[in-house]
Amino acid sequence: MKRDDALFNWLQIQVVADARPDDQSAQETAAFFLQMLQEDHALGELAYRLESGWYVLTAKQDGTEPLERKYPAEMVESLLVAIENEPKFNS
């Protein structure tokens, strides 16, 4: 998987996992994407913050400048909204 795709996927599912700490599937999926980013793309220290309607994702890669990507909050949160609007995931 391309690095930018993996970064977005990790961010989107990590937002879900943070909002739903008891959702084991979300926790496992976030861990999967984190492992992929660490092993396949040599990224570490992944973090995100919400800033003026944008999610700012940061990561570090050995020997390079810190990586930063910005994504619209609505796009990142779309998975969380879809999950929370699905009754079978909220019983």
Side-chain angles (χ1 to χ4, degrees), residues 11 38 47 52 61 84:
L11 175 60
Q38 292 170 333
S52 300
Q61 191 169 28
E84 290 186 339

Side-chain angles (χ1 to χ4, degrees), residues 8 11-12 14-16 18 47-58 68-78 80:
F8 177 75
L11 175 60
Q12 196 174 44
Q14 189 61 54
V15 166
V16 171
D18 289 344
Y48 71 87
R49 65 186 183 277
L50 183 57
E51 203 173 85
S52 300
W54 291 84
Y55 278 89
V56 180
L57 183 154
T58 57
E68 182 176 290
R69 297 284 186 272
K70 292 183 178 185
Y71 304 94
E74 185 175 304
M75 189 167 78
V76 173
E77 293 169 356
S78 64
L80 177 60

